[in-house]
């Protein structure tokens, strides 16, 4: 238990569906992250929020829409996904809003997404 | 961030020390060495990090060479539950990004 929770843990959706992934951190951290891990590929950073402001968007398609309503919650809204978007989606949080070198990220358990 | 090189896989007997090496020959002075592990289909778990001094916590020890071009993660008494992919990551400056490579699959055998 890292203090970062994600729901749902598993999600199956069709290409025309709209769904949302939720992340909550109970650590009092100031930065939150979305990562994607496709089968047999390294984790890829998708988005970074620092003090509820998006500070990084690593060329992620617009069918993925993040939202950070407060420092404890992070959402990833999904719409019109493709089968190749099936992956493990991981949320992380860290203390330092500047992301300094010594700032440690703590990960949630992930949401396993399958797009049919 | 500097690139890291790790062996693809390693085996270790239960109860013995597991020593996982990592090369990071292009590391810069302000970059930290981080270790995470990921048990199948779970989120990565933070283990330890260091700058230039050796570090120890309840999970592991981190030995960084004097020139900082390589490091070793030591699990002193490996258990079956330590079977996982171990990632060595160099992170520095004001960079949010953790760049995960392929890591080392450590298999602890009974």
């Amino acid at each position: 238990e890292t203090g970062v929770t994600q729901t749902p843990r598993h999600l199956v959706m069709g290409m025309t569906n709209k769904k949302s992934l939720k992340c909550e951190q109970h650590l009092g951290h100031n930065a939150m992250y979305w990562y994607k891990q496709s089968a047999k590929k390294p984790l890829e950073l998708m988005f970074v929020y620092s003090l509820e402001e998006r500070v990084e968007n690593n060329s992620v398609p617009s069918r993925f829409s993040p939202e950070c309503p407060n420092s404890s919650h992070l959402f990833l809204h999904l719409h019109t996904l493709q089968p190749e978007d099936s992956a493990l989606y991981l949320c992380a949080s860290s203390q330092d809003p500047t992301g300094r070198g010594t700032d440690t990220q703590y990960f949630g358990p992930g949401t396993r997404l399958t797009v049919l | 961030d500097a690139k890291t090189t790790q062996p693809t896989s390693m085996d270790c007997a239960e109860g013995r020390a597991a020593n996982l090496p990592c090369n990071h020959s292009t590391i810069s002075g302000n970059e930290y060495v981080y270790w995470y592990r990921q048990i199948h289909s779970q989120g990565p778990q933070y283990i330890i990090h260091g700058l230039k001094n050796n570090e120890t916590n309840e999970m592991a020890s981190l030995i960084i060479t004097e020139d900082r071009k390589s490091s070793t993660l030591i699990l002193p008494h490996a258990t079956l539950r330590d079977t996982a992919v171990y990632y060595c990551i160099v992170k520095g400056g004001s960079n949010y990004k953790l760049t995960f490579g392929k890591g080392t699959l450590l298999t602890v055998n009974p």
Side-chain angles (χ1 to χ4, degrees):
Chain A
E1 180 60 48
T2 62
V4 181
T5 58
Q6 292 187 242
T7 54
R9 295 293 308 276
H10 300 272
L11 178 63
V12 179
M13 61 186 288
M15 289 189 285
T16 58
N17 291 158
K18 290 184 180 181
K19 296 287 184 183
S20 296
L21 309 184
K22 178 182 176 182
C23 175
E24 183 173 1
Q25 59 96 359
H26 310 273
L27 302 169
H29 286 172
N30 295 297
M32 297 187 77
Y33 310 74
W34 280 117
Y35 285 83
K36 174 184 177 182
Q37 187 174 32
S38 303
K40 299 184 179 179
K41 291 178 68 176
L43 275 80
E44 304 168 63
L45 180 64
M46 299 175 72
F47 301 103
V48 181
Y49 276 82
S50 175
L51 299 173
E52 300 153 44
E53 178 181 338
R54 190 189 311 181
V55 295
E56 277 200 36
N57 174 350
N58 287 291
S59 303
V60 179
S62 60
R63 58 185 183 271
F64 295 91
S65 175
E67 178 189 4
C68 188
N70 56 61
S71 60
S72 298
H73 294 87
L74 184 66
F75 294 89
L76 187 63
H77 304 299
L78 317 171
H79 63 98
T80 60
L81 295 191
Q82 305 298 313
E84 58 265 30
D85 296 321
S86 298
L88 181 67
Y89 288 85
L90 292 154
C91 174
S93 72
S94 67
Q95 174 64 43
D96 191 333
T98 68
R100 289 180 303 169
T102 188
D103 187 45
T104 300
Q105 296 179 25
Y106 294 90
F107 286 81
T111 294
R112 173 67 64 185
L113 174 67
T114 302
V115 182
L116 302 176
Chain B
D1 293 332
K3 183 179 177 181
T4 62
T5 304
Q6 299 178 251
T8 302
S9 63
M10 294 182 64
D11 287 315
C12 178
E14 187 177 20
R16 304 297 293 269
N19 296 282
L20 292 94
C22 179
N23 287 319
H24 31 78
S25 58
T26 60
I27 193 169
S28 300
N30 66 347
E31 291 182 317
Y32 286 76
V33 179
Y34 273 80
W35 283 84
Y36 283 80
R37 71 181 183 185
Q38 187 174 24
I39 297 170
H40 183 62
S41 292
Q42 298 182 22
Q45 179 187 21
Y46 165 75
I47 301 173
I48 199 167
H49 74 280
L51 182 63
K52 51 185 175 181
N53 296 322
N54 297 338
E55 302 287 343
T56 295
N57 63 21
E58 64 278 4
M59 288 184 68
S61 295
L62 174 60
I63 308 299
I64 303 174
T65 58
E66 194 169 340
D67 63 7
R68 303 208 325 123
K69 293 184 177 182
S70 66
S71 61
T72 301
L73 179 74
I74 301 172
L75 307 179
H77 305 287
T79 71
L80 299 179
R81 287 183 293 181
D82 292 322
T83 293
V85 178
Y86 287 76
Y87 298 98
C88 169
I89 300 166
V90 170
K91 180 179 180 291
S94 293
N95 186 350
Y96 293 100
K97 191 173 184 178
L98 283 176
T99 302
F100 286 79
K102 295 183 178 180
T104 297
L105 172 60
L106 174 69
T107 302
V108 180
N109 300 305

